[in-house]
Amino acid sequence: GAVVSQHPSWVICKSGTSVKIECRSLDFQATTMFWYRQFPKQSLMLMATSNEGSKATYEQGVEKDKFLINHASLTLSTLTVTSAHPEDSSFYICSAKGIKETQYFGPGTRLLVL
Amino acid sequence: EDKVVQSPLSLVVHEGDTVTLNCSYEVTNFRSLLWYKQEKKAPTFLFMLTSSGIEKKSGRLSSILDKKELFSILNITATQTGDSAVYLCAVEASNTDKLIFGTGTRLQVFP
């Protein structure tokens, strides 16, 4: 089956720093990648959709200047949380989708901002 | 507004019991309905349903979709402690490729 990786798995940082999370599709070309956020005991909330080579489309209420998304190639998308604050602490999950494929999820990245 | 509703929110059973999890939806441009199992990490794929009345089965798990009544069920027979997880239902919209997730059903299976 299709494999999607995320790096890092866990990150703890100080308030005010920026954190970059990578999402890679390892064995297929992902025309679209999605970024989700999940707070404890809640469901996944879509943050943004990114297509290779174009700007990401953000969901309502998600600050595009705070959550920078770059989909530089068909196998890599990055999410940068700029000037992170404690309320940004969450579980960030990416998914990747090729042509005529369903979405495959990465293992997720837990972010804790102190 | 598109929405996916799951019930119950939480379920506690003993090993060997059979459980039925429900998912109803109101989504324009429906493409497919998906079930996922989430333990401590990201969701793992269980089933994708696109047609009404065709049961998908994998071991003790099975699922079916009713596109007329806009719901799906996920059945787990002879539950085991390893089935303890949050089960997520999501609907994919054909015009956006987005997945709209329900709130999930938390299943706990005790020995």
Side-chain angles (χ1 to χ4, degrees), chain A residues 59-80:
Chain A
E59 293 300 300
Q60 197 170 11
V62 178
E63 299 174 58
K64 61 180 180 181
D65 294 331
K66 181 167 183 63
F67 298 99
L68 301 178
I69 292 171
N70 187 338
H71 193 157
S73 75
L74 284 171
T75 58
L76 173 64
S77 176
T78 60
L79 167 69
T80 302

Side-chain angles (χ1 to χ4, degrees), chain A residues 32 34 36 38 41 43-44 46 49 59 91 93 97 101-103 105-108 110, chain B residues 31 34 36 38 40-43 45 48 88 92 96-99 101-104 106:
Chain A
T32 308
F34 303 84
Y36 297 85
Q38 186 177 35
K41 298 194 177 181
S43 193
L44 279 73
L46 180 65
T49 304
E59 293 300 300
F91 188 41
I93 307 171
K97 184 179 190 301
E101 294 278 349
T102 188
Q103 290 186 32
F105 286 89
R110 294 199 183 276
Chain B
R31 172 186 283 160
L34 299 97
Y36 293 89
Q38 186 177 27
K40 291 185 178 177
K41 290 198 169 184
F45 173 78
M48 181 169 74
L88 294 167
E92 185 179 26
T96 64
D97 287 341
K98 291 182 188 178
L99 285 179
F101 280 88
T103 49
R106 183 174 296 274

Side-chain angles (χ1 to χ4, degrees), chain B residues 4 6 23 32-36 88-92 99-102:
Chain B
V4 177
Q6 290 185 248
C23 175
S32 61
L33 185 144
L34 299 97
W35 284 97
Y36 293 89
L88 294 167
C89 171
V91 174
E92 185 179 26
L99 285 179
I100 302 142
F101 280 88

Side-chain angles (χ1 to χ4, degrees), chain B residues 26-85:
Chain B
E26 292 177 27
V27 175
T28 52
N29 299 300
F30 173 94
R31 172 186 283 160
S32 61
L33 185 144
L34 299 97
W35 284 97
Y36 293 89
K37 177 182 182 181
Q38 186 177 27
E39 297 171 89
K40 291 185 178 177
K41 290 198 169 184
T44 53
F45 173 78
L46 294 175
F47 297 111
M48 181 169 74
L49 304 157
T50 55
S51 302
S52 278
I54 299 174
E55 185 183 55
K56 292 271 182 102
K57 199 169 170 62
S58 175
R60 295 177 294 102
L61 278 66
S62 63
S63 184
I64 198 160
L65 172 67
D66 185 329
K67 288 168 75 173
K68 184 180 175 187
E69 300 297 329
L70 307 183
F71 79 91
S72 173
I73 59 171
L74 174 68
N75 277 321
I76 308 175
T77 58
T79 52
Q80 302 172 357
T81 55
D83 295 328
S84 297

